[in-house]
Amino acid sequence: MKYYYSYEAFRKDTCSLTKEVQSFEPEAIVGIARGGLTLAHAMAESLNVREVQTLRTELYDVSCKRKSITLFGTCSFKNVQRVLVVDDIADSGETLQAIMLFLQKEFPSVEFTSATLFYKSTSIYKPDFWIHEAKEWIEFFWEADFKI
Amino acid sequence: MKYYYSYEAFRKDTCSLTKEVQSFEPEAIVGIARGGLTLAHAMAESLNVREVQTLRTELYDVSCKRKSITLFGTCSFKNVQRVLVVDDIADSGETLQAIMLFLQKEFPSVEFTSATLFYKSTSIYKPDFWIHEAKEWIEFFWEADFKI
């Protein structure tokens, strides 16, 4: 069973998430592509953050037992101390974990905080902020509403 | 007078724009931050393009008569021949023109096509694809719907 996550639900949840994250006062936002892009855009508008960047990962099956994660893109922070990293969902958590480790290693003087709309209790990475625990398969409106 | 551009109008227009762009068969999408990010996400889902990157510009008033445009971020294309560049609106057109020139110069072997939802007849740059001519000031839903 798929649970359809509408724009209206997203609007409400994004406002809640933004309120929670607000005190962190991010100067830049990294949206994880593709799932985190609409959220990154909305939160950037809401928090009046002009600087939005993206990163992307791909998960490859190296063998039956082992998976390898590859990160695409890079970030650049100039005079930035606090960065918010957003994605739609921490599902397996592998993407977010890899990206947070990469960013913290690459930019040791920057403080990173993560936020997602959904979080699965089985995720290996727990975001600093999240709104709902995901118990079903979620079909986000950006996956469903633009079929041509 | 501001014209409120709702999610529902965006959904309809994005489907139309995607249908027009479809035959170009982009392998990557560049979304211009911030305005083009939600559109880039939606079109990437619709066209099944995994690779989404962002660029950002800032316009500075250098003197009363002269403006200087600065580009932030960079792109990286590997085994990619066709890239779609999207933004919400070609208003003055300066951002899109600067970004298209930068990309064409930086990646001479890649073919770039541009698409926006709105286009102003006074823009110095005309996108390859656009849906509406903008005659009023548009307030996009991402600017209006996430106020906290």
Side-chain angles (χ1 to χ4, degrees), chain A residues 7 38 41 46 49 145-146, chain B residues 7 34 38 41 46 49 145-146:
Chain A
Y7 173 71
T38 299
H41 188 187
S46 185
V49 171
D145 288 2
F146 301 94
Chain B
Y7 173 71
R34 295 178 298 192
T38 299
H41 189 186
S46 185
V49 171
D145 289 2
F146 302 94

Side-chain angles (χ1 to χ4, degrees), chain B residues 11-29:
Chain B
R11 197 199 58 72
K12 201 171 141 272
D13 290 344
T14 299
C15 288
S16 305
L17 193 60
T18 306
K19 269 182 208 155
E20 286 199 43
V21 167
Q22 196 176 17
S23 64
F24 176 62
E25 295 182 356
E27 294 147 307
I29 294 178

Side-chain angles (χ1 to χ4, degrees), chain A residues 123-138:
Chain A
S123 170
I124 57 165
Y125 176 86
K126 187 168 187 167
D128 297 306
F129 299 94
W130 50 276
I131 298 292
H132 300 291
E133 198 181 319
K135 293 187 173 171
E136 308 168 272
W137 182 267
I138 299 149

Side-chain angles (χ1 to χ4, degrees), chain B residues 31-87:
Chain B
I32 301 177
R34 295 178 298 192
L37 288 178
T38 299
L39 180 61
H41 189 186
M43 290 183 85
E45 295 281 353
S46 185
L47 293 165
N48 204 20
V49 171
R50 295 186 65 85
E51 201 170 323
V52 185
Q53 304 184 34
T54 55
L55 283 175
R56 186 171 72 89
T57 63
E58 272 181 24
L59 209 60
Y60 295 102
D61 267 308
V62 178
S63 72
C64 294
K65 283 190 184 165
R66 208 162 53 86
K67 278 185 177 175
S68 160
I69 200 159
T70 308
L71 205 142
F72 296 92
T74 187
C75 288
S76 155
F77 303 111
K78 222 176 152 182
N79 305 319
V80 161
Q81 253 127 52
R82 292 173 307 280
V83 174
L84 179 66
V85 181
V86 305
D87 206 353

Side-chain angles (χ1 to χ4, degrees), chain A residues 59 69 90-99 101 119-127:
Chain A
L59 209 62
I69 200 159
D91 194 326
S92 74
E94 287 173 272
T95 295
L96 254 172
Q97 186 180 62
I99 280 178
L101 286 173
Y119 161 69
K120 247 188 197 162
S121 60
T122 49
S123 170
I124 57 165
Y125 176 86
K126 187 168 187 167

